[in-house]
mmCIF file of all heavy atoms in Angstrom:
data_model
loop_
_atom_site.group_PDB
_atom_site.id
_atom_site.type_symbol
_atom_site.label_atom_id
_atom_site.label_comp_id
_atom_site.label_asym_id
_atom_site.label_seq_id
_atom_site.Cartn_x
_atom_site.Cartn_y
_atom_site.Cartn_z
ATOM 1 N N GLU A 37 -14.324 -13.598 5.600
ATOM 2 C CA GLU A 37 -15.115 -14.489 6.395
ATOM 3 C C GLU A 37 -14.552 -15.901 6.321
ATOM 4 O O GLU A 37 -14.792 -16.704 7.252
ATOM 5 C CB GLU A 37 -16.562 -14.421 5.988
ATOM 6 C CG GLU A 37 -17.251 -13.083 6.339
ATOM 7 C CD GLU A 37 -18.633 -13.072 5.800
ATOM 8 O OE1 GLU A 37 -19.039 -13.910 5.020
ATOM 9 O OE2 GLU A 37 -19.401 -12.077 6.197
ATOM 10 N N SER A 38 -13.824 -16.179 5.311
ATOM 11 C CA SER A 38 -13.242 -17.472 5.145
ATOM 12 C C SER A 38 -11.846 -17.592 5.787
ATOM 13 O O SER A 38 -11.153 -18.560 5.695
ATOM 14 C CB SER A 38 -13.021 -17.836 3.616
ATOM 15 O OG SER A 38 -14.237 -17.856 2.935
ATOM 16 N N GLY A 39 -11.448 -16.474 6.478
ATOM 17 C CA GLY A 39 -10.195 -16.477 7.207
ATOM 18 C C GLY A 39 -9.034 -15.831 6.633
ATOM 19 O O GLY A 39 -7.913 -15.985 7.195
ATOM 20 N N TYR A 40 -9.144 -15.188 5.552
ATOM 21 C CA TYR A 40 -7.976 -14.587 4.873
ATOM 22 C C TYR A 40 -7.923 -12.993 5.171
ATOM 23 O O TYR A 40 -8.993 -12.451 5.427
ATOM 24 C CB TYR A 40 -8.030 -14.783 3.368
ATOM 25 C CG TYR A 40 -7.974 -16.212 2.958
ATOM 26 C CD1 TYR A 40 -9.228 -16.862 2.510
ATOM 27 C CD2 TYR A 40 -6.835 -16.911 2.939
ATOM 28 C CE1 TYR A 40 -9.181 -18.163 2.207
ATOM 29 C CE2 TYR A 40 -6.849 -18.285 2.553
ATOM 30 C CZ TYR A 40 -7.984 -18.945 2.194
ATOM 31 O OH TYR A 40 -8.055 -20.213 1.774
ATOM 32 N N THR A 41 -6.706 -12.534 5.049
ATOM 33 C CA THR A 41 -6.490 -11.076 5.132
ATOM 34 C C THR A 41 -6.649 -10.674 3.650
ATOM 35 O O THR A 41 -5.938 -11.242 2.842
ATOM 36 C CB THR A 41 -5.105 -10.736 5.616
ATOM 37 O OG1 THR A 41 -4.972 -11.199 7.040
ATOM 38 C CG2 THR A 41 -4.907 -9.254 5.623
ATOM 39 N N VAL A 42 -7.490 -9.602 3.482
ATOM 40 C CA VAL A 42 -7.723 -9.244 2.054
ATOM 41 C C VAL A 42 -7.615 -7.694 1.843
ATOM 42 O O VAL A 42 -8.100 -6.933 2.585
ATOM 43 C CB VAL A 42 -9.177 -9.673 1.635
ATOM 44 C CG1 VAL A 42 -9.495 -9.392 0.145
ATOM 45 C CG2 VAL A 42 -9.346 -11.133 1.912
ATOM 46 N N ASP A 43 -6.893 -7.355 0.743
ATOM 47 C CA ASP A 43 -6.825 -6.010 0.238
ATOM 48 C C ASP A 43 -7.565 -5.970 -1.126
ATOM 49 O O ASP A 43 -7.479 -6.916 -1.903
ATOM 50 C CB ASP A 43 -5.387 -5.554 0.140
ATOM 51 C CG ASP A 43 -4.767 -5.286 1.485
ATOM 52 O OD1 ASP A 43 -5.429 -4.990 2.390
ATOM 53 O OD2 ASP A 43 -3.510 -5.318 1.572
ATOM 54 N N LEU A 44 -8.172 -4.900 -1.400
ATOM 55 C CA LEU A 44 -8.892 -4.724 -2.681
ATOM 56 C C LEU A 44 -8.339 -3.542 -3.488
ATOM 57 O O LEU A 44 -8.279 -2.344 -2.882
ATOM 58 C CB LEU A 44 -10.339 -4.571 -2.341
ATOM 59 C CG LEU A 44 -11.263 -4.163 -3.501
ATOM 60 C CD1 LEU A 44 -11.290 -5.350 -4.630
ATOM 61 C CD2 LEU A 44 -12.669 -3.987 -3.087
ATOM 62 N N ALA A 45 -8.020 -3.755 -4.742
ATOM 63 C CA ALA A 45 -7.618 -2.648 -5.645
ATOM 64 C C ALA A 45 -8.626 -2.536 -6.700
ATOM 65 O O ALA A 45 -9.081 -3.603 -7.205
ATOM 66 C CB ALA A 45 -6.245 -3.006 -6.233
ATOM 67 N N ARG A 46 -8.971 -1.310 -7.123
ATOM 68 C CA ARG A 46 -10.003 -1.046 -8.074
ATOM 69 C C ARG A 46 -9.528 -0.899 -9.472
ATOM 70 O O ARG A 46 -10.308 -0.902 -10.476
ATOM 71 C CB ARG A 46 -10.862 0.140 -7.664
ATOM 72 C CG ARG A 46 -11.461 0.090 -6.220
ATOM 73 C CD ARG A 46 -12.693 -0.918 -6.160
ATOM 74 N NE ARG A 46 -13.289 -0.751 -4.926
ATOM 75 C CZ ARG A 46 -14.405 -1.469 -4.558
ATOM 76 N NH1 ARG A 46 -14.822 -2.381 -5.437
ATOM 77 N NH2 ARG A 46 -14.936 -1.315 -3.275
ATOM 78 N N THR A 47 -8.208 -0.676 -9.622
ATOM 79 C CA THR A 47 -7.608 -0.509 -10.896
ATOM 80 C C THR A 47 -6.377 -1.468 -11.092
ATOM 81 O O THR A 47 -5.767 -1.774 -10.083
ATOM 82 C CB THR A 47 -7.224 0.922 -11.179
ATOM 83 O OG1 THR A 47 -6.055 1.235 -10.320
ATOM 84 C CG2 THR A 47 -8.394 1.921 -10.913
ATOM 85 N N GLY A 48 -6.052 -1.668 -12.279
ATOM 86 C CA GLY A 48 -4.865 -2.542 -12.569
ATOM 87 C C GLY A 48 -3.548 -1.828 -12.013
ATOM 88 O O GLY A 48 -2.729 -2.498 -11.534
ATOM 89 N N ALA A 49 -3.458 -0.538 -12.334
ATOM 90 C CA ALA A 49 -2.298 0.196 -11.884
ATOM 91 C C ALA A 49 -2.058 0.092 -10.290
ATOM 92 O O ALA A 49 -0.972 -0.089 -9.827
ATOM 93 C CB ALA A 49 -2.308 1.609 -12.336
ATOM 94 N N ASP A 50 -3.167 0.372 -9.656
ATOM 95 C CA ASP A 50 -3.138 0.262 -8.142
ATOM 96 C C ASP A 50 -2.784 -1.128 -7.720
ATOM 97 O O ASP A 50 -2.025 -1.315 -6.805
ATOM 98 C CB ASP A 50 -4.555 0.707 -7.492
ATOM 99 C CG ASP A 50 -4.657 2.239 -7.648
ATOM 100 O OD1 ASP A 50 -3.736 2.958 -7.877
ATOM 101 O OD2 ASP A 50 -5.833 2.735 -7.525
ATOM 102 N N GLY A 51 -3.449 -2.078 -8.316
ATOM 103 C CA GLY A 51 -3.194 -3.609 -7.951
ATOM 104 C C GLY A 51 -1.805 -3.979 -8.177
ATOM 105 O O GLY A 51 -1.195 -4.600 -7.293
ATOM 106 N N LEU A 52 -1.231 -3.501 -9.355
ATOM 107 C CA LEU A 52 0.104 -3.870 -9.613
ATOM 108 C C LEU A 52 1.113 -3.243 -8.627
ATOM 109 O O LEU A 52 2.067 -3.892 -8.082
ATOM 110 C CB LEU A 52 0.512 -3.379 -11.057
ATOM 111 C CG LEU A 52 1.880 -3.711 -11.501
ATOM 112 C CD1 LEU A 52 2.257 -5.089 -11.409
ATOM 113 C CD2 LEU A 52 2.140 -3.188 -12.942
ATOM 114 N N HIS A 53 0.864 -1.937 -8.258
ATOM 115 C CA HIS A 53 1.688 -1.300 -7.250
ATOM 116 C C HIS A 53 1.628 -2.014 -5.940
ATOM 117 O O HIS A 53 2.685 -2.186 -5.295
ATOM 118 C CB HIS A 53 1.254 0.127 -7.185
ATOM 119 C CG HIS A 53 1.968 0.939 -6.060
ATOM 120 N ND1 HIS A 53 3.272 1.336 -6.252
ATOM 121 C CD2 HIS A 53 1.643 1.300 -4.807
ATOM 122 C CE1 HIS A 53 3.712 2.002 -5.197
ATOM 123 N NE2 HIS A 53 2.770 1.894 -4.272
ATOM 124 N N MET A 54 0.410 -2.336 -5.524
ATOM 125 C CA MET A 54 0.394 -3.061 -4.237
ATOM 126 C C MET A 54 0.931 -4.501 -4.258
ATOM 127 O O MET A 54 1.618 -4.817 -3.193
ATOM 128 C CB MET A 54 -1.164 -3.119 -3.922
ATOM 129 C CG MET A 54 -1.908 -1.812 -3.607
ATOM 130 S SD MET A 54 -3.632 -2.014 -3.605
ATOM 131 C CE MET A 54 -3.947 -3.028 -2.103
ATOM 132 N N ALA A 55 0.787 -5.116 -5.401
ATOM 133 C CA ALA A 55 1.493 -6.415 -5.487
ATOM 134 C C ALA A 55 2.923 -6.393 -5.499
ATOM 135 O O ALA A 55 3.614 -7.359 -5.009
ATOM 136 C CB ALA A 55 0.997 -7.144 -6.736
ATOM 137 N N MET A 56 3.510 -5.349 -5.941
ATOM 138 C CA MET A 56 5.005 -5.100 -5.999
ATOM 139 C C MET A 56 5.511 -4.663 -4.628
ATOM 140 O O MET A 56 6.593 -5.054 -4.268
ATOM 141 C CB MET A 56 5.385 -4.134 -7.134
ATOM 142 C CG MET A 56 5.160 -4.628 -8.473
ATOM 143 S SD MET A 56 6.139 -6.028 -9.030
ATOM 144 C CE MET A 56 5.822 -5.962 -10.781
ATOM 145 N N GLU A 57 4.698 -3.930 -3.919
ATOM 146 C CA GLU A 57 5.189 -3.346 -2.776
ATOM 147 C C GLU A 57 4.867 -4.087 -1.427
ATOM 148 O O GLU A 57 5.663 -3.944 -0.471
ATOM 149 C CB GLU A 57 4.636 -1.883 -2.574
ATOM 150 C CG GLU A 57 5.069 -0.844 -3.679
ATOM 151 C CD GLU A 57 6.558 -0.646 -3.702
ATOM 152 O OE1 GLU A 57 7.098 -0.623 -2.533
ATOM 153 O OE2 GLU A 57 7.147 -0.577 -4.737
ATOM 154 N N GLN A 58 3.995 -4.984 -1.497
ATOM 155 C CA GLN A 58 3.565 -5.736 -0.319
ATOM 156 C C GLN A 58 3.613 -7.178 -0.566
ATOM 157 O O GLN A 58 3.680 -7.688 -1.708
ATOM 158 C CB GLN A 58 2.108 -5.368 0.096
ATOM 159 C CG GLN A 58 1.947 -3.886 0.399
ATOM 160 C CD GLN A 58 0.556 -3.453 0.794
ATOM 161 O OE1 GLN A 58 -0.084 -4.204 1.629
ATOM 162 N NE2 GLN A 58 -0.060 -2.563 0.158
ATOM 163 N N ASN A 59 3.637 -7.914 0.542
ATOM 164 C CA ASN A 59 3.855 -9.398 0.520
ATOM 165 C C ASN A 59 2.444 -10.073 0.555
ATOM 166 O O ASN A 59 1.866 -10.147 1.610
ATOM 167 C CB ASN A 59 4.746 -9.858 1.609
ATOM 168 C CG ASN A 59 6.174 -9.473 1.412
ATOM 169 O OD1 ASN A 59 6.672 -9.434 0.351
ATOM 170 N ND2 ASN A 59 6.777 -9.038 2.601
ATOM 171 N N TYR A 60 2.042 -10.594 -0.588
ATOM 172 C CA TYR A 60 0.773 -11.431 -0.730
ATOM 173 C C TYR A 60 1.099 -12.826 -0.979
ATOM 174 O O TYR A 60 2.135 -13.161 -1.526
ATOM 175 C CB TYR A 60 -0.179 -10.830 -1.698
ATOM 176 C CG TYR A 60 -0.694 -9.405 -1.455
ATOM 177 C CD1 TYR A 60 -0.085 -8.163 -2.022
ATOM 178 C CD2 TYR A 60 -1.700 -9.186 -0.495
ATOM 179 C CE1 TYR A 60 -0.532 -6.979 -1.686
ATOM 180 C CE2 TYR A 60 -2.207 -7.897 -0.147
ATOM 181 C CZ TYR A 60 -1.567 -6.757 -0.977
ATOM 182 O OH TYR A 60 -2.021 -5.575 -0.517
ATOM 183 N N ASP A 61 0.193 -13.663 -0.487
ATOM 184 C CA ASP A 61 0.323 -15.124 -0.809
ATOM 185 C C ASP A 61 -0.396 -15.528 -2.030
ATOM 186 O O ASP A 61 -0.043 -16.525 -2.611
ATOM 187 C CB ASP A 61 -0.323 -15.931 0.402
ATOM 188 C CG ASP A 61 0.500 -15.682 1.725
ATOM 189 O OD1 ASP A 61 1.688 -16.054 1.828
ATOM 190 O OD2 ASP A 61 -0.122 -14.958 2.569
ATOM 191 N N LEU A 62 -1.325 -14.681 -2.550
ATOM 192 C CA LEU A 62 -2.119 -15.045 -3.751
ATOM 193 C C LEU A 62 -2.692 -13.708 -4.320
ATOM 194 O O LEU A 62 -3.157 -12.816 -3.497
ATOM 195 C CB LEU A 62 -3.081 -16.125 -3.509
ATOM 196 C CG LEU A 62 -3.973 -16.615 -4.692
ATOM 197 C CD1 LEU A 62 -4.073 -18.144 -4.542
ATOM 198 C CD2 LEU A 62 -5.311 -15.986 -4.600
ATOM 199 N N VAL A 63 -2.968 -13.715 -5.568
ATOM 200 C CA VAL A 63 -3.670 -12.546 -6.292
ATOM 201 C C VAL A 63 -4.820 -13.103 -7.054
ATOM 202 O O VAL A 63 -4.678 -14.061 -7.725
ATOM 203 C CB VAL A 63 -2.739 -11.768 -7.198
ATOM 204 C CG1 VAL A 63 -3.535 -10.730 -7.931
ATOM 205 C CG2 VAL A 63 -1.594 -11.085 -6.427
ATOM 206 N N VAL A 64 -5.999 -12.509 -6.733
ATOM 207 C CA VAL A 64 -7.280 -12.766 -7.598
ATOM 208 C C VAL A 64 -7.340 -11.588 -8.536
ATOM 209 O O VAL A 64 -7.536 -10.405 -8.054
ATOM 210 C CB VAL A 64 -8.502 -12.858 -6.730
ATOM 211 C CG1 VAL A 64 -9.751 -13.121 -7.640
ATOM 212 C CG2 VAL A 64 -8.296 -14.136 -5.821
ATOM 213 N N LEU A 65 -7.186 -11.803 -9.889
ATOM 214 C CA LEU A 65 -7.036 -10.794 -10.827
ATOM 215 C C LEU A 65 -8.130 -10.875 -11.959
ATOM 216 O O LEU A 65 -8.272 -11.873 -12.624
ATOM 217 C CB LEU A 65 -5.625 -10.950 -11.497
ATOM 218 C CG LEU A 65 -5.282 -9.996 -12.682
ATOM 219 C CD1 LEU A 65 -5.271 -8.443 -12.243
ATOM 220 C CD2 LEU A 65 -3.928 -10.327 -13.219
ATOM 221 N N ASP A 66 -8.856 -9.673 -12.095
ATOM 222 C CA ASP A 66 -9.801 -9.578 -13.175
ATOM 223 C C ASP A 66 -8.996 -9.129 -14.465
ATOM 224 O O ASP A 66 -8.047 -8.432 -14.444
ATOM 225 C CB ASP A 66 -10.816 -8.505 -12.834
ATOM 226 C CG ASP A 66 -11.997 -8.408 -13.834
ATOM 227 O OD1 ASP A 66 -12.156 -9.359 -14.567
ATOM 228 O OD2 ASP A 66 -12.621 -7.405 -13.943
ATOM 229 N N VAL A 67 -9.544 -9.464 -15.631
ATOM 230 C CA VAL A 67 -8.902 -9.252 -16.814
ATOM 231 C C VAL A 67 -9.373 -7.775 -17.346
ATOM 232 O O VAL A 67 -8.605 -6.957 -17.664
ATOM 233 C CB VAL A 67 -9.201 -10.297 -17.920
ATOM 234 C CG1 VAL A 67 -8.814 -9.750 -19.365
ATOM 235 C CG2 VAL A 67 -8.610 -11.515 -17.588
ATOM 236 N N MET A 68 -10.652 -7.480 -17.308
ATOM 237 C CA MET A 68 -11.196 -6.258 -17.902
ATOM 238 C C MET A 68 -11.092 -5.226 -16.851
ATOM 239 O O MET A 68 -12.057 -5.021 -16.044
ATOM 240 C CB MET A 68 -12.664 -6.427 -18.406
ATOM 241 C CG MET A 68 -12.816 -7.549 -19.418
ATOM 242 S SD MET A 68 -11.792 -7.257 -20.860
ATOM 243 C CE MET A 68 -12.737 -5.833 -21.446
ATOM 244 N N LEU A 69 -10.011 -4.559 -16.840
ATOM 245 C CA LEU A 69 -9.758 -3.478 -15.910
ATOM 246 C C LEU A 69 -9.559 -2.102 -16.660
ATOM 247 O O LEU A 69 -9.024 -2.106 -17.622
ATOM 248 C CB LEU A 69 -8.393 -3.772 -14.921
ATOM 249 C CG LEU A 69 -8.602 -5.014 -14.021
ATOM 250 C CD1 LEU A 69 -7.187 -5.279 -13.466
ATOM 251 C CD2 LEU A 69 -9.472 -4.682 -12.875
ATOM 252 N N PRO A 70 -9.866 -0.967 -15.934
ATOM 253 C CA PRO A 70 -9.700 0.269 -16.612
ATOM 254 C C PRO A 70 -8.219 0.666 -16.678
ATOM 255 O O PRO A 70 -7.490 0.343 -15.720
ATOM 256 C CB PRO A 70 -10.464 1.323 -15.621
ATOM 257 C CG PRO A 70 -10.499 0.589 -14.403
ATOM 258 C CD PRO A 70 -10.601 -0.884 -14.692
ATOM 259 N N GLY A 71 -7.730 1.232 -17.745
ATOM 260 C CA GLY A 71 -6.296 1.626 -17.875
ATOM 261 C C GLY A 71 -5.441 0.348 -18.114
ATOM 262 O O GLY A 71 -5.616 -0.268 -19.170
ATOM 263 N N THR A 72 -4.727 0.085 -17.165
ATOM 264 C CA THR A 72 -3.876 -1.098 -17.220
ATOM 265 C C THR A 72 -4.707 -2.366 -16.918
ATOM 266 O O THR A 72 -5.251 -2.557 -15.894
ATOM 267 C CB THR A 72 -2.708 -1.088 -16.074
ATOM 268 O OG1 THR A 72 -2.051 0.127 -16.175
ATOM 269 C CG2 THR A 72 -1.760 -2.262 -16.247
ATOM 270 N N ASP A 73 -4.924 -3.199 -18.046
ATOM 271 C CA ASP A 73 -5.785 -4.346 -17.927
ATOM 272 C C ASP A 73 -5.072 -5.533 -17.233
ATOM 273 O O ASP A 73 -3.814 -5.537 -16.905
ATOM 274 C CB ASP A 73 -6.318 -4.755 -19.304
ATOM 275 C CG ASP A 73 -5.249 -5.273 -20.275
ATOM 276 O OD1 ASP A 73 -4.202 -5.701 -19.823
ATOM 277 O OD2 ASP A 73 -5.526 -5.135 -21.510
ATOM 278 N N GLY A 74 -5.836 -6.648 -17.051
ATOM 279 C CA GLY A 74 -5.267 -7.837 -16.397
ATOM 280 C C GLY A 74 -4.193 -8.449 -17.039
ATOM 281 O O GLY A 74 -3.294 -8.998 -16.429
ATOM 282 N N TRP A 75 -4.141 -8.369 -18.419
ATOM 283 C CA TRP A 75 -3.042 -8.985 -19.163
ATOM 284 C C TRP A 75 -1.771 -8.271 -18.907
ATOM 285 O O TRP A 75 -0.727 -8.910 -18.621
ATOM 286 C CB TRP A 75 -3.266 -8.984 -20.708
ATOM 287 C CG TRP A 75 -4.618 -9.474 -21.195
ATOM 288 C CD1 TRP A 75 -5.507 -8.813 -22.028
ATOM 289 C CD2 TRP A 75 -5.086 -10.863 -21.015
ATOM 290 N NE1 TRP A 75 -6.619 -9.747 -22.252
ATOM 291 C CE2 TRP A 75 -6.365 -10.879 -21.694
ATOM 292 C CE3 TRP A 75 -4.659 -11.913 -20.330
ATOM 293 C CZ2 TRP A 75 -7.083 -12.031 -21.756
ATOM 294 C CZ3 TRP A 75 -5.453 -13.066 -20.313
ATOM 295 C CH2 TRP A 75 -6.672 -13.127 -21.074
ATOM 296 N N GLN A 76 -1.834 -6.975 -18.822
ATOM 297 C CA GLN A 76 -0.618 -6.142 -18.618
ATOM 298 C C GLN A 76 -0.137 -6.313 -17.144
ATOM 299 O O GLN A 76 1.057 -6.338 -16.856
ATOM 300 C CB GLN A 76 -0.999 -4.635 -18.885
ATOM 301 C CG GLN A 76 -1.231 -4.446 -20.385
ATOM 302 C CD GLN A 76 -1.866 -2.952 -20.561
ATOM 303 O OE1 GLN A 76 -2.754 -2.577 -19.949
ATOM 304 N NE2 GLN A 76 -1.190 -2.283 -21.481
ATOM 305 N N VAL A 77 -1.141 -6.436 -16.224
ATOM 306 C CA VAL A 77 -0.700 -6.665 -14.751
ATOM 307 C C VAL A 77 -0.076 -7.934 -14.717
ATOM 308 O O VAL A 77 0.965 -8.068 -14.008
ATOM 309 C CB VAL A 77 -2.028 -6.594 -13.902
ATOM 310 C CG1 VAL A 77 -1.647 -6.980 -12.441
ATOM 311 C CG2 VAL A 77 -2.585 -5.175 -13.937
ATOM 312 N N MET A 78 -0.601 -8.989 -15.275
ATOM 313 C CA MET A 78 0.002 -10.308 -15.172
ATOM 314 C C MET A 78 1.424 -10.358 -15.825
ATOM 315 O O MET A 78 2.327 -10.878 -15.134
ATOM 316 C CB MET A 78 -0.894 -11.288 -15.989
ATOM 317 C CG MET A 78 -0.445 -12.804 -15.852
ATOM 318 S SD MET A 78 -0.909 -13.500 -14.277
ATOM 319 C CE MET A 78 0.811 -13.645 -13.561
#
């Protein structure tokens, strides 16, 4: 609603894969994630 294109990942592993494979301008990252946590993703 603020004008951005947004994708949502529910796990660290999925988020990392999406960040590596697609072109994003910014990532909003939670730390406490199941499996691969935010520290590992970062």
